[in-house]
């Protein structure tokens, strides 16, 4: 078993990063070389801006290369809850932005010729308990009537041709998709470079200050100045950026991938070949990879770290969960186990905008694979002075009480949600 991301291990390396020391002045400096930052950089470069991307590790190192491979449209929250929390107008705007984000990905992949196995698969939100189906049905009625007619409510009988595990029904979101995340992020970086962006790897930003109306960015590879700075670093934001770190909880999410399944095993487990997520608070999500592995993830442990030791513990928990859902795969070997950090906000809605001289887009709360490229492009347009399409503009972003960068309270959060899963 390899303790590396399947997406990293099965994608080509990006070879277009600038080598050596850096210097000079740029229209925009982007901090973070994942989907958000690269999507923004490509958009800015296409408009003629001089842009530099400063990545602390390598392109796609963080959440962009460590996720479950889902591109799910619609809200992660219940749409009914979102209307109560955000108001109907913003809830609809955010839902439609997530829909548009998948259209954006599809268009970029086609335009740039990125070979990443993009496919409109549809998503199943599966009811783990009978009472969960009642909630899914209420949410479906509102979604289907008000914002997304490309949805369907499936009975347990309908699921027999979709999944080889007993669930109590599901909501199907037909616009949802999947792709190979590692190939996409490398392809996006290559596209941004072709358009004129400068990409620098292993260039951790250690400080940003103001000098003569410009931002001065000190990095591990030198110092540059910029008229505008976009923070696109999510859960991997350096600790010295306290405003963002107090508003984001970096939480571990963990994933395993089986060996390639046979045709018979696929027919017995995932004949529908969609992205799937169950309805538990401490839930799981899964899909088939392009080479027919079952990629299975979840919040196996409420941890703020991801290293081989932590990933191995979480992998064992995920293996147990996989076997409970698919006992027919109990004998199947696990080839990959990995983890990564998710940038979770207090209310689990993303944030994007401008604060204290810095543009930002982050806080995707485990649902950034689909939205991040689109939101990065949206903020790039705002920097360029184009019409504002930001679906979360002006949304208040309070700090997490008692949180100063390291979420010490995560074990207590985990205990709370475990209790809810037992009683709800």
């Amino acid at each position: 078993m390899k303790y590396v991301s399947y997406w990293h291990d099965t994608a080509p390396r990006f070879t277009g990063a600038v080598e050596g020391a850096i210097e000079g002045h740029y229209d925009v400096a982007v901090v973070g070389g994942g989907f958000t930052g690269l999507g923004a950089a490509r958009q800015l470069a296409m408009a003629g801006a001089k842009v530099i991307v400063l990545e602390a590790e390598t392109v796609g190192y963080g959440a962009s290369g460590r996720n479950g491979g889902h591109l799910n449209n619609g809200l992660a929250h219940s749409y009914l809850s979102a209307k109560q929390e955000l108001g109907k107008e913003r809830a609809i705007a955010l839902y439609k932005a997530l829909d548009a984000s998948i259209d954006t990905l599809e268009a970029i992949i086609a335009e740039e010729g990125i070979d990443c196995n993009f496919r409109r698969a549809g998503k199943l939100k599966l009811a783990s308990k009978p009472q969960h189906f009642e909630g899914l049905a209420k949410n479906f009625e509102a979604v289907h009537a008000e914002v997304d007619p490309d949805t369907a409510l499936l009975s347990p009988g309908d699921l027999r041709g979709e999944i080889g595990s007993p669930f109590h029904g599901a909501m199907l979101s037909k616009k949802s998709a999947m792709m190979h995340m590692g190939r996409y992020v490398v392809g996006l970086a290559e596209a941004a470079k072709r358009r004129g962006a400068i990409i620098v790897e292993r260039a951790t930003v250690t400080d940003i200050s103001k000098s003569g109306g410009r931002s001065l960015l000190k990095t591990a590879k030198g110092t540059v100045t910029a008229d505008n700075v976009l923070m696109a670093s999510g859960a991997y934001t350096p600790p010295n950026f306290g405003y963002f770190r107090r508003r984001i909880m970096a939480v571990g999410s963990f994933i395993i991938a089986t060996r390639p399944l046979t045709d018979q095993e696929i027919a017995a487990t995932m004949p529908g070949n969609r992205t799937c997520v169950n309805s538990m608070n401490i839930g799981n999500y899964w899909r088939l990879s392009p080479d027919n592995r079952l990629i299975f993830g979840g919040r196996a442990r409420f941890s703020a770290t991801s290293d081989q030791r932590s990933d191995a513990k979480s992998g064992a928990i995920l293996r147990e969960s996989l076997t409970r859902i698919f006992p027919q795969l109990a004998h199947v070997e696990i080839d990959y186990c990995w983890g990564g950090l998710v940038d979770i906000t207090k209310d689990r809605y993303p944030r994007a905008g401008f604060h204290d001289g810095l543009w930002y887009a982050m806080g995707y709360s485990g649902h950034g694979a689909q939205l991040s490229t689109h939101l990065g492009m949206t903020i790039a347009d705002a920097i360029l002075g184009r019409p504002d399409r930001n679906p979360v503009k002006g949304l208040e972003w309070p700090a997490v009480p008692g949180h100063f960068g390291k979420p010490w309270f995560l074990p207590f959060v985990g205990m709370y949600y475990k209790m809810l899963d037992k009683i709800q």
Side-chain angles (χ1 to χ4, degrees):
M1 181 166 58
K2 295 182 179 181
Y3 289 98
V4 296
S5 165
Y6 166 81
W7 309 122
H8 288 160
D9 197 49
T10 57
R13 288 291 306 273
F14 175 64
T15 58
V18 169
E19 300 291 340
I22 57 172
E23 61 181 4
H25 178 72
Y26 297 85
D27 298 320
V28 186
V30 178
V31 181
F35 295 162
T36 303
L38 294 170
R42 173 181 174 272
Q43 187 82 340
L44 290 161
M46 287 172 65
K50 186 180 180 183
V51 57
I52 186 169
V53 178
L54 303 168
E55 165 56 43
E57 297 290 344
T58 55
V59 159
Y61 172 85
S64 298
R66 297 173 182 272
N67 57 71
H70 297 211
L71 303 171
N72 295 329
N73 74 299
L75 300 173
H77 302 63
S78 157
Y79 171 65
L80 293 173
S81 297
K83 285 202 299 181
Q84 290 181 338
E85 295 161 356
L86 302 176
K88 183 175 180 179
E89 183 178 353
R90 192 187 291 275
I92 290 174
L94 187 54
Y95 192 109
K96 289 186 174 180
L98 280 149
D99 280 5
S101 71
I102 302 176
D103 295 337
T104 294
L105 290 169
E106 191 170 27
I108 290 174
I109 289 164
E111 185 175 348
E112 302 290 357
I114 301 173
D115 180 13
C116 63
N117 307 98
F118 177 91
R119 184 172 69 87
R120 295 272 188 172
K123 178 193 81 170
L124 290 174
K125 178 66 177 286
L126 295 154
S128 299
K129 298 180 180 182
Q131 61 268 35
H132 293 184
F133 183 69
E134 296 174 11
L136 283 179
K138 290 179 181 177
N139 190 60
F140 162 75
E141 290 173 4
V143 167
H144 192 76
E146 297 178 13
V147 70
D148 189 359
D150 289 329
T151 49
L153 192 66
L154 306 185
S155 69
D158 296 328
L159 290 177
R160 293 192 188 105
E162 293 283 355
I163 188 166
S165 183
F167 284 92
H168 300 276
M171 177 174 163
L172 170 62
S173 299
K174 300 177 185 179
K175 297 174 186 172
S176 295
M178 61 172 69
M179 66 182 177
H180 190 297
M181 298 296 174
R183 293 175 189 160
Y184 171 72
V185 76
V186 171
L188 186 61
E190 290 172 344
K193 184 190 176 189
R194 277 196 305 271
R195 302 291 186 171
I198 303 297
I199 300 174
V200 189
E201 296 181 321
R202 307 201 184 281
T204 302
V205 176
T206 57
D207 183 65
I208 301 177
S209 60
K210 287 292 184 181
S211 176
R214 296 176 170 180
S215 292
L216 183 73
L217 296 93
K218 295 181 179 179
T219 83
K221 287 195 169 180
T223 299
V224 297
T225 59
D227 294 327
N228 294 278
V229 177
L230 169 59
M231 296 295 297
S233 43
Y236 295 82
T237 299
N240 48 314
F241 294 94
Y243 175 83
F244 301 107
R245 290 299 298 263
R246 288 192 300 272
R247 286 159 174 80
I248 282 177
M249 296 171 282
V251 180
S253 190
F254 304 93
I255 302 171
I256 55 177
T258 69
R259 62 154 169 78
L261 302 182
T262 65
D263 290 344
Q264 292 80 9
E265 288 166 338
I266 292 170
T269 54
M270 290 285 287
N273 199 5
R274 303 187 190 274
T275 64
C276 296
V277 58
N278 66 15
S279 60
M280 304 298 283
N281 288 295
I282 303 179
N284 295 107
Y285 48 88
W286 59 91
R287 55 158 286 193
L288 293 174
S289 68
D291 58 351
N292 292 329
R293 303 172 188 274
L294 186 65
I295 297 178
F296 187 92
R299 305 278 187 272
R301 296 166 59 243
F302 278 73
S303 169
T305 60
S306 174
D307 52 36
Q308 183 169 325
R309 182 179 178 184
S310 178
D311 294 354
K313 290 180 180 179
S314 298
I317 295 170
L318 288 173
R319 179 61 190 255
E320 292 176 3
S321 298
L322 186 155
T323 302
R324 280 196 301 271
I325 295 172
F326 296 114
Q328 61 270 45
L329 296 183
H331 67 287
V332 171
E333 297 85 0
I334 304 299
D335 280 359
Y336 290 91
C337 176
W338 74 94
L341 299 178
V342 177
D343 52 340
I344 297 181
T345 61
K346 182 182 176 183
D347 58 12
R348 297 190 303 122
Y349 294 109
R351 294 301 196 280
F354 185 80
H355 173 79
D356 196 22
L358 299 175
W359 295 92
Y360 61 89
M362 59 180 72
Y364 299 109
S365 302
H367 297 273
Q370 58 272 50
L371 183 60
S372 48
T373 302
H374 183 80
L375 200 55
M377 292 169 62
T378 298
I379 296 303
D381 284 342
I383 293 171
L384 293 166
R386 293 173 175 172
D388 195 339
R389 301 176 292 118
N390 182 2
V392 291
K393 182 179 181 179
L395 183 61
E396 185 182 359
W397 193 7
V400 178
H403 176 46
F404 301 98
K406 187 175 178 63
W408 54 269
F409 43 79
L410 285 182
F412 302 101
V413 175
M415 291 171 60
Y416 171 73
Y417 282 120
K418 286 179 182 178
M419 180 188 70
L420 286 183
D421 280 338
K422 288 180 180 180
I423 64 177
Q424 290 183 343

